[in-house]
Amino acid sequence: MHYTFVGLSVALAAVFLTTGSAKILRARWMTVAADRLGYTVTTFQAIGSLEVAAAAGLLVGLAWAPLSTAAAVGLVALLVGAVLAHRRAGDATRALVPPAWLALVSAATAVVGIVQ
């Protein structure tokens, strides 16, 4: 297994375990974000569940790379949706950078998983 693949998978899992858990547990900053983006808290919790599932897939996928690759592809789709949601809400360009950057990291993880 390539060190880059392991590093990217673990880093992404850490990020999405944190953000997904915050959404599921209704952290105040996440409920404010849900309201600003036009989502219900229940919808944001569902998104958080997808993030936690992807994080678990990234970690379990260290034993079977296709699972990490699939989780990374799922995160790309989720993060493209996040960029679009921020854009639709009229957020400044700087608000688009974190989900766009994480989408690129997720895509890189998927690519490394495929070519290894």
Side-chain angles (χ1 to χ4, degrees):
M1 185 161 298
H2 198 277
Y3 292 117
T4 304
F5 183 69
V6 173
L8 289 171
S9 294
V10 170
L12 282 173
V15 168
F16 287 103
L17 278 173
T18 303
T19 60
S21 297
K23 287 177 177 108
I24 292 169
L25 298 173
R26 299 183 202 192
R28 180 73 185 136
W29 60 280
M30 283 297 182
T31 59
V32 169
D35 186 50
R36 188 175 44 73
L37 293 171
Y39 290 104
T40 65
V41 172
T42 304
T43 301
F44 237 48
Q45 286 179 306
I47 293 168
S49 297
L50 293 173
E51 291 177 357
V52 170
L58 287 165
L59 294 175
V60 173
L62 294 175
W64 188 56
L67 183 57
S68 272
T69 302
V73 169
L75 283 173
V76 170
L78 186 133
L79 291 161
V80 167
V83 169
L84 295 174
H86 282 283
R87 195 72 184 134
R88 184 186 67 218
D91 287 347
T93 303
R94 70 172 189 235
L96 306 176
V97 172
W101 184 83
L102 287 168
L104 291 173
V105 174
S106 298
T109 304
V111 169
V112 172
I114 290 168
V115 298
Q116 69 172 339

